[in-house]
Amino acid sequence: MIASDKPSSVPGTELRLAGIPASPGVVSGRLAIFSHEELRVRPTPIQESQIPDELRRLEAALLKTREQIQGIKDHLARSLGDGQTEIFEAHLLVAADSTIAAAVRRQLELRKVCVEHVYQHVIHAYAQSMKEMEDPYLRERAADIMDVGRRVVYNLLGRKLADLYSLDSPSIILAHDLTPSDTALLNRQLALGFATEVGSTTSHTAIMARSLNIPAVVGLHSVLSKCDLGAPVILDGYAGLLIVYPTEQTRYEYGQIEKRRLAVEQSLEVLRDTPATTKDGRRLVLSANVELPEDLPLIAESGAEGIGLYRTEFLFLNRVQFPSEEEQTNIYQQVVQASRPHLAIIRTLDLGGDKLPSHQGLDPEANPFLGWRAIRYCLEKPDLFKTQLRAICRSNPGGKVRVMFPMIATREELVAALALLGEAREELKAADIPAATEVEAGAMIEVPSAAMIVDRLAPLVQFFSIGTNDLTQYTLAADRTNERVASLYQPTHPAVLMFIQRVVQAAHKHGIWVGVCGEMAGDVLMTPVLLGLGVDEMSMGSVAVPRVKKAVQSLDYAECQAVAARLLEMDSGEESRKILVELAQRAYPELVS
Ligand code: PEP
Ligand code: MG
């Protein structure tokens, strides 16, 4: 009935598949295969007398679908709040739609082929007519119809659809790709690790895995065709391996590795309340990157000094309506609260690139990372932007807040963003709404043009934060999510290091501080060079804080400055990396072995 079934790995024979290590750790478990792929169902002929049975099967599948959607909705309401469940309200309506059911019945009687084919056909026709509607709201509902249709067809076929949000047992998730919208809906208790066919170390799947402290391997080409749902595997996030049907010997070896990792993690717990100061007295601020409100409790546990990057766009994904000013204020207040006694840097919306709101009807772009992203999007939607800015200002009434603008490429953008921030503050004042009395504004430096004109941006802001994830991709013209160019994507490339040096020097000349909030900041191999280049703050997933603190405490600032100067003279990122590996192996071998 299904057009193509996939060949699988052979039980009893170990198969090692190599990808790119994206989040450290080792985990063993069973595979849950997550797919947006649609099953193509052939039109198998049926007899007239079978129609009532086919309709009963459809009724049962629709019931099951509604139960599944209700389960997801309840789970999300508990974990993320009601705001995240609107899409599933819409899905429930589609699964109960009597017009679709009537159309299926008519088609069954007319064509006399199996109900899964008929249902799929009807759903496609509906989604297509929705896509052609004038009303953007109705156009956007086409995606809901397709999602529900896919779920119903899986249920009709008795196939298990591995949903990130309706996993029923702890599993290692295997997918072609996991979008930020997918991972935001994840049932975190049950996801043991991620393995994807595409992606690289700074794609958001990898960032999310690191913040969840679960292993991830990306760039595992064609792995879906080699693995079965439910197959036992070991995922090695250090070496970037997915081992299917591992032998007893392999399991034993990996058990030993995991024991060593846990021992190192435990040994770092005592550092929590100590400052991140080098052996020769250079003090650094280590703060946390946060994607979802659920991550907030981890901050205090990790010993991070506040939040250096709160990625607000995760609040805007998977929604029919964007969050209101009240809802945002409420969440930003929680963010500010979790950072106390330190401050939180709330970054304004960075939608676009690989973080696309699935339900806002944005047309796909040919080059989303070069397109309508982040500040470009916000400046064209001043109402939406000011709603967010007002909510940020309201997050700490009578106190201080920090706000940061992503993807600044020109001085005009920064000036325009600051003007809207000023307007937002004025509006709050005029309406007598309690708000922060002091607002520090910062610019992310992650586009080469901003790094070049940084001396013209510095007088406008109170701090800079270098987004090395994007700065690396834009400097080397290497898409951060594309595993095919992953070898070109080198944060240690002299061009990237020169930009960082330039930004630090300009910031200090203008008397403002500068941090790094890209993934480089959480990588202990990079600690010496960032330290040596003179950054004041590093912000990373909470899980990395104890490790980076240990690295900082094991280093000499003077030596790091010499190393940074040497790396700036290198011909390639590869040479620099080798030097950094040697240094890490000497200064803190337990963190890199
Ligand atoms: C960066 O680009 O380094 C950054 C921190 O922002 P994001 O990863 O969200 O693009
Ligand atoms: Mg960025």
Side-chain angles (χ1 to χ4, degrees):
M1 207 178 283
I2 301 163
S4 69
D5 263 319
K6 292 164 179 168
S8 44
S9 48
V10 186
T13 310
E14 180 173 299
L15 176 69
R16 290 186 172 225
L17 302 163
I20 301 168
S23 176
V26 170
V27 71
S28 66
R30 302 233 164 224
L31 277 182
I33 298 178
F34 176 69
S35 169
H36 287 289
E37 181 199 28
E38 240 196 296
L39 300 173
R40 281 176 296 134
V41 191
R42 289 196 185 123
T44 308
I46 57 163
Q47 304 293 324
E48 174 113 42
S49 60
Q50 288 175 289
I51 292 177
D53 277 347
E54 290 294 272
L55 286 172
R56 270 192 291 278
R57 286 207 306 121
L58 177 62
E59 201 36 62
L62 287 169
L63 183 66
K64 189 163 180 191
T65 304
R66 288 197 291 270
E67 284 168 4
Q68 287 166 341
I69 297 171
Q70 188 64 47
I72 296 169
K73 200 172 148 267
D74 293 346
H75 162 72
L76 290 179
R78 277 193 306 275
S79 56
L80 299 177
D82 285 337
Q84 303 280 341
T85 65
E86 291 161 3
I87 284 178
F88 294 99
E89 294 280 1
H91 283 197
L92 276 176
L93 292 179
V94 175
D97 191 306
S98 57
T99 337
I100 296 178
V104 173
R105 177 189 291 270
R106 272 197 310 279
Q107 287 282 322
L108 260 183
E109 285 162 0
L110 207 69
R111 297 183 57 196
K112 299 194 188 60
V113 293
C114 64
V115 72
E116 31 287 80
H117 178 82
V118 170
Y119 185 81
Q120 200 164 53
H121 181 80
V122 168
I123 281 287
H124 277 220
Y126 263 72
Q128 193 49 41
S129 57
M130 286 292 208
K131 276 188 199 153
E132 285 158 14
M133 301 253 178
E134 285 274 306
D135 180 343
Y137 181 82
L138 292 177
R139 267 204 317 269
E140 288 152 24
R141 301 287 71 77
D144 296 328
I145 294 184
M146 291 301 290
D147 273 4
V148 175
R150 187 169 131 266
R151 196 177 282 282
V152 173
V153 170
Y154 269 78
N155 283 331
L156 274 168
L157 293 169
R159 299 263 298 215
K160 208 166 148 38
L161 182 69
D163 259 303
L164 292 182
Y165 18 90
S166 60
L167 288 175
D168 48 19
S169 56
S171 313
I172 293 168
I173 293 157
L174 178 65
H176 174 67
D177 190 13
L178 291 169
T179 64
S181 314
D182 296 330
T183 44
L185 294 177
L186 182 72
N187 184 339
R188 293 167 161 227
Q189 280 78 37
L190 298 178
L192 301 175
F194 295 152
T196 61
E197 291 190 320
V198 299
S200 75
T201 51
T202 54
S203 53
H204 282 90
T205 311
I207 294 176
M208 185 65 100
R210 285 193 289 270
S211 81
L212 289 170
N213 199 16
I214 58 174
V217 178
V218 297
L220 284 155
H221 282 284
S222 321
V223 66
L224 282 170
S225 63
K226 296 180 186 129
C227 294
D228 284 331
L229 182 69
V233 295
I234 289 178
L235 185 70
D236 174 354
Y238 299 111
L241 286 176
L242 178 71
I243 306 172
V244 194
Y245 297 114
T247 62
E248 274 311 309
Q249 178 61 22
T250 304
R251 285 184 182 283
Y252 171 77
E253 283 164 12
Y254 273 103
Q256 297 301 103
I257 293 175
E258 195 46 14
K259 266 194 200 148
R260 283 205 295 277
R261 182 177 83 103
L262 287 174
V264 171
E265 268 187 21
Q266 267 168 12
S267 73
L268 298 178
E269 278 171 18
V270 294
L271 303 182
R272 194 178 57 200
D273 299 319
T274 63
T277 307
T278 61
K279 290 200 280 188
D280 51 351
R282 164 89 176 160
R283 175 80 163 87
L284 214 80
V285 174
L286 301 186
S287 46
N289 289 358
V290 174
E291 275 83 53
L292 295 171
E294 292 154 276
D295 298 335
L296 294 173
L298 297 177
I299 297 166
E301 275 170 42
S302 71
E305 296 174 83
I307 296 176
L309 168 62
Y310 177 60
R311 288 184 165 100
T312 56
E313 53 278 6
F314 281 86
L315 279 178
F316 290 68
L317 300 174
N318 301 308
R319 313 254 326 199
V320 176
Q321 303 280 341
F322 278 161
S324 66
E325 183 173 326
E326 294 306 320
E327 186 183 342
Q328 290 187 59
T329 304
N330 195 296
I331 291 168
Y332 303 153
Q333 277 172 351
Q334 292 172 34
V335 170
V336 166
Q337 184 62 33
S339 287
R340 292 213 159 97
H342 307 283
L343 293 176
I345 299 179
I346 302 180
R347 177 175 79 178
T348 61
L349 204 49
D350 183 7
L351 285 178
D354 63 345
K355 289 171 289 191
L356 296 168
S358 44
H359 285 258
Q360 293 299 317
L362 292 183
D363 288 331
E365 296 184 332
N367 290 301
F369 278 112
L370 300 182
W372 200 38
R373 180 184 169 190
I375 200 71
R376 304 169 183 187
Y377 177 85
C378 287
L379 290 177
E380 280 187 41
K381 292 187 174 282
D383 290 341
L384 172 116
F385 193 31
K386 273 202 286 179
T387 302
Q388 178 170 48
L389 293 170
R390 280 194 304 268
I392 295 173
C393 293
R394 290 173 62 186
S395 67
N396 193 11
K400 176 151 113 177
V401 294
R402 283 186 176 153
V403 58
M404 170 160 89
F405 304 115
M407 275 286 286
I408 295 292
T410 68
R411 188 176 184 278
E412 291 87 327
E413 283 169 343
L414 185 55
V415 169
L418 289 167
L420 288 170
L421 176 61
E423 281 178 31
R425 293 185 73 185
E426 283 304 317
E427 285 164 10
L428 291 171
K429 208 165 155 191
D432 224 4
I433 297 173
T437 43
E438 203 182 331
V439 180
E440 286 186 0
M444 282 196 74
I445 305 295
E446 49 185 349
V447 178
S449 60
M452 289 308 288
I453 60 161
V454 70
D455 56 334
R456 277 152 252 191
L457 304 179
L460 303 177
V461 289
Q462 284 74 51
F463 64 92
F464 285 140
S465 189
I466 307 175
T468 48
N469 302 339
D470 280 313
L471 187 60
T472 306
Q473 88 162 337
Y474 294 131
T475 302
L476 287 147
D479 179 345
R480 64 193 261 189
T481 63
N482 184 345
E483 70 288 355
R484 289 184 197 279
V485 292
S487 60
L488 252 182
Y489 184 96
Q490 297 172 349
T492 50
H493 191 279
V496 179
L497 301 184
M498 282 178 211
F499 274 138
I500 298 176
Q501 182 194 40
R502 185 182 175 86
V503 176
V504 173
Q505 285 176 349
H508 290 171
K509 196 171 106 202
H510 286 87
I512 63 173
W513 63 268
V514 54
V516 170
C517 62
E519 293 304 296
M520 237 180 138
D523 181 350
V524 290
L525 282 186
M526 304 297 157
T527 311
V529 63
L530 293 180
L531 201 55
L533 288 170
V535 306
D536 304 293
E537 181 240 25
M538 296 188 203
S539 191
M540 62 207 76
S542 301
V543 184
V545 172
R547 292 164 57 80
V548 174
K549 190 182 280 182
K550 174 75 186 167
V552 171
Q553 293 178 346
S554 312
L555 289 163
D556 263 314
Y557 179 47
E559 185 186 356
C560 292
Q561 283 181 303
V563 168
R566 194 169 154 215
L567 298 196
L568 285 163
E569 297 300 321
M570 289 290 138
D571 289 332
S572 75
E574 214 27 71
E575 284 171 276
S576 296
R577 201 179 159 80
K578 280 196 195 123
I579 294 171
L580 290 169
V581 169
E582 275 165 30
L583 174 52
Q585 276 167 350
R586 177 161 50 77
Y588 32 86
E590 70 281 20
L591 299 182
V592 286
S593 62

